[in-house]
Amino acid sequence: MNILEIKNITKCYKKNSPVLNGLSISVPAGKIVGLLGPNGCGKSTLIKLIAGLLQADSGEIYVDGQKVGEKTAAVVSYLPERPYFNFKLKVKDLLKYFSEFYSDFRIDRAEKLLSDLSINKNARLSSLSKGTKEKVQLILVMSRDAKLYLLDEPIAGVDPAARDYILGTIISNYNPEASIIITTHLITDVEQVLDEFLFMTYGGKILMGGNADATRTKYSKSLDAIFREVFKC
Amino acid sequence: MLGKLLKHDFKALFKYWWIAAIISLGLGVAAGFSIPIAISDNNIPPILRASTIIAIFVAIMGIGVFSAFSVVMIFIRFYKNLFTDEGYLTFTLPVKRASILNSKLISAVLFTIATTFIIFAAILTALLIGFSKDIFTVRFLNEIHDSVLEIYSHTGAYIYIYIIAAVLLYISITTISTLFLFNCITFASTITKKARVITAIAIYYVANSVFTSIFQILFVFSGSYISDKMDTLSENMYNPITSLILLCVFVFTVFIIGILYTIEYYMLDRKLNLL
């Protein structure tokens, strides 16, 4: 069964220059999918459409068989590409907030992850470094038992050691029956965790996609090397 | 879920509001104690008299600032919560868009009403303390008492209807003002990426000027028409007709609320574009 169905989606920010133009994709349950493409090709736009933060000009999006809305928000766990919490809040306030609004939030898991990283629950977000803030966000998002995780550039802007931690957190904390969509242009770092991939180019066109292992075997190259060939300037 | 949203909105708004409210009441008390010195006929040193006058002025300004602070705080929270990066969290919560709007609207209206009460309380405190030893207070209270009795002699039991109508109209007009500002902020946020706040203020001033002019013209004409008709009425019909007019005005304000709410809901539900 597909957890995500996107049918003929079009989205324009300016008239006659669509960021996404008639895009149709489906994501099966239980897969980690890399949405890979150059900057500005529409990856974040697509993720925001699935999260319900943007409205499509045409087309339909279904998550777990439901149109995007209040019900799909209950099963989608979204990590934006930049910090989105009120920095005046303390980490423990956020834990409480997530516990109240998300019935699938596992506070014990979040507390354990925070403790593993020695992040003080009583610390205000404003007192944390950019990297630690991103880790707190990721911990909160991955501590939900969601059916679909949308991770928009989760490793952009963090050092390589933090990238390993973030990817490790993603792999070890997601529900195996759930799917994860990761957008990034840092393919080398993520490709080892991907089950499936989609190469997306400007206008939201899918140039290539499929099973990550099969593609690597077929071309005897890493996804990163294939990406560099496909998107050669 | 509305209850949870309301709890968080109230908590966030109350966090600083209560401090400002206590300061305002304190300023009312300070002004009250300054008034007798400022208006005393006794031989008071000019510096002391000038200081008390300045204190009263500062207190009045402070109470005014409290009013502005409350309004700005409510709308900054609305903007930040929905249209900055915080909106990513707000709009991905598993709640209906209507619940988000209702929570913002209810908390904004209640805090505006509470602010009005605090301002009245601060002014009343200043007057009662300031003139407590003066014949003015007794005369002032007697005047209010006499006025109420006089109104009652004309209205009879209808005075209760007028009081209820005044309260309902105050709430409905506060709701209209709040929704109108919400509309301006949301509209600005859907049409622009940058300078959203300035755009919202510009839209507010233009739209406010247009609507104020339209309603002033409407009320001048309808007011003079109604006034002419009222003159022809027998005295025993005056109160029932006035009640009916107040009811019509209230229904009209509810209708305006419905329109503004629908526009706001439509923009949040169908036109939301968080970039």
Side-chain angles (χ1 to χ4, degrees):
Chain A
M1 186 203 163
N2 290 329
I3 188 73
L4 176 67
E5 287 276 359
I6 296 174
K7 293 177 182 172
N8 216 18
I9 278 287
T10 298
K11 175 69 186 172
C12 299
Y13 292 121
K14 289 176 190 168
K15 269 190 178 176
N16 301 324
S17 56
V19 179
L20 302 174
N21 193 6
L23 176 71
S24 296
I25 53 173
S26 55
V27 173
K31 299 283 182 191
I32 301 179
V33 181
L35 189 58
L36 314 171
N39 290 329
C41 72
K43 303 187 297 287
S44 292
T45 297
L46 180 60
I47 292 288
K48 285 177 186 173
L49 284 164
I50 301 166
L53 296 169
L54 292 175
Q55 309 300 316
D57 297 327
S58 63
E60 286 169 338
I61 299 176
Y62 294 90
V63 176
D64 199 26
Q66 310 251 22
K67 265 194 172 182
V68 170
E70 177 205 356
K71 285 181 182 165
T72 62
V75 296
V76 172
S77 194
Y78 167 62
L79 179 76
E81 59 190 319
R82 54 180 184 260
Y84 68 121
F85 295 135
N86 181 347
F87 290 169
K88 289 177 194 161
L89 294 176
K90 291 179 178 174
V91 175
K92 67 176 181 185
D93 297 331
L94 289 169
L95 292 176
K96 206 173 156 203
Y97 193 86
F98 267 61
S99 301
E100 277 184 43
F101 283 100
Y102 298 109
S103 58
D104 58 4
F105 183 67
R106 301 287 166 258
I107 193 163
D108 51 335
R109 190 192 298 168
E111 283 176 337
K112 188 187 174 302
L113 288 166
L114 288 168
S115 159
D116 289 348
L117 283 175
S118 306
I119 297 173
N120 183 0
K121 279 197 295 179
N122 292 311
R124 277 189 203 284
L125 286 181
S126 56
S127 70
L128 304 176
S129 68
K130 184 175 175 274
T132 310
K133 278 188 199 111
E134 289 186 359
K135 284 173 192 164
V136 170
Q137 285 192 175
L138 181 78
I139 286 169
L140 290 165
V141 167
M142 294 311 297
S143 294
R144 286 182 58 196
D145 280 336
K147 289 187 177 174
L148 178 64
Y149 297 86
L150 304 171
L151 311 179
D152 196 359
E153 302 282 2
I155 54 169
V158 293
D159 59 80
R163 283 178 200 172
D164 287 345
Y165 171 78
I166 288 170
L167 292 171
T169 306
I170 292 168
I171 296 300
S172 55
N173 288 285
Y174 93 104
N175 170 7
E177 288 167 14
S179 291
I180 301 179
I181 298 178
I182 303 175
T183 75
T184 188
H185 53 274
L186 300 167
I187 301 160
T188 314
D189 292 290
V190 298
E191 75 165 285
Q192 76 272 17
V193 304
L194 301 180
D195 296 317
E196 310 265 338
F197 74 99
L198 292 165
F199 283 169
M200 193 168 163
T201 189
Y202 299 102
K205 290 189 187 78
I206 302 296
L207 292 182
M208 196 175 174
N211 181 279
D213 286 335
T215 306
R216 273 190 290 258
T217 309
K218 183 179 172 187
Y219 292 93
S220 303
K221 285 177 187 169
S222 67
L223 287 182
D224 184 61
I226 300 167
F227 182 90
R228 283 169 200 270
E229 273 182 21
V230 170
F231 290 98
K232 200 169 185 178
C233 298
Chain B
M1 283 293 185
L2 177 63
K4 288 178 186 175
L5 290 168
L6 273 171
K7 190 186 97 180
H8 284 279
D9 276 330
F10 271 90
K11 210 172 145 187
L13 289 173
F14 195 73
K15 194 174 177 185
Y16 299 110
W17 182 88
W18 75 271
I19 300 169
I22 286 177
I23 291 171
S24 290
L25 290 171
L27 287 172
V29 173
F33 284 114
S34 303
I35 288 170
I37 303 166
I39 63 169
S40 171
D41 295 330
N42 298 336
N43 194 15
I44 293 196
I47 291 177
L48 181 60
R49 195 186 292 276
S51 306
T52 54
I53 290 169
I54 291 168
I56 294 167
F57 178 73
V58 168
I60 293 167
M61 291 290 286
I63 293 167
V65 167
F66 167 62
S67 167
F69 166 79
S70 297
V71 171
V72 169
M73 185 184 69
I74 288 165
F75 292 104
I76 283 181
R77 178 162 171 81
F78 177 78
Y79 171 73
K80 272 191 74 185
N81 237 211
L82 303 192
F83 302 112
T84 64
D85 290 345
E86 285 179 40
Y88 290 152
L89 179 61
T90 309
F91 287 113
T92 49
L93 292 174
V95 295
K96 289 177 183 154
R97 294 279 153 97
S99 298
I100 295 171
L101 174 56
N102 292 342
S103 171
K104 299 288 171 210
L105 183 60
I106 292 167
S107 56
V109 169
L110 290 181
F111 269 86
T112 307
I113 292 170
T115 302
T116 311
F117 270 111
I118 293 292
I119 291 167
F120 270 116
I123 293 168
L124 201 63
T125 307
L127 291 176
L128 290 177
I129 294 173
F131 297 104
S132 60
K133 290 177 185 167
D134 198 281
I135 191 73
F136 174 82
T137 307
V138 178
R139 206 188 300 154
F140 176 68
L141 293 175
N142 282 341
E143 285 283 343
I144 291 175
H145 182 252
D146 292 346
S147 302
V148 171
L149 284 181
E150 197 186 334
I151 292 168
Y152 189 78
S153 71
H154 287 293
T155 62
Y158 276 99
I159 195 167
Y160 300 112
I161 292 175
Y162 296 151
I163 291 168
I164 291 167
V167 170
L168 289 178
L169 280 172
Y170 170 67
I171 294 169
S172 63
I173 288 166
T174 304
T175 310
I176 287 173
S177 313
T178 307
L179 273 170
F180 184 59
L181 261 160
F182 281 3
N183 283 176
C184 295
I185 294 168
T186 307
F187 185 61
S189 300
T190 52
I191 61 167
T192 57
K193 282 189 212 171
K194 292 173 185 171
R196 288 170 161 179
V197 175
I198 291 169
T199 310
I201 292 169
I203 291 169
Y204 173 77
Y205 276 105
V206 171
N208 192 41
S209 305
V210 171
F211 287 121
T212 305
S213 306
I214 291 169
F215 282 115
Q216 274 175 353
I217 292 165
L218 198 70
F219 279 115
V220 165
F221 281 106
S222 60
S224 89
Y225 176 78
I226 290 166
S227 175
D228 290 346
K229 288 284 176 192
M230 292 290 272
D231 288 343
T232 63
L233 289 174
S234 62
E235 203 169 305
N236 62 344
M237 287 301 289
Y238 188 84
N239 284 315
I241 295 295
T242 307
S243 305
L244 188 66
I245 291 167
L246 285 172
L247 178 69
C248 290
V249 173
F250 178 67
V251 169
F252 179 69
T253 59
V254 171
F255 175 69
I256 299 288
I257 288 170
I259 291 173
L260 295 176
Y261 185 94
T262 307
I263 292 169
E264 184 63 27
Y265 179 76
Y266 174 78
M267 286 193 287
L268 289 180
D269 196 47
R270 303 287 170 84
K271 297 289 172 190
L272 179 72
N273 278 310
L274 285 184
L275 300 173

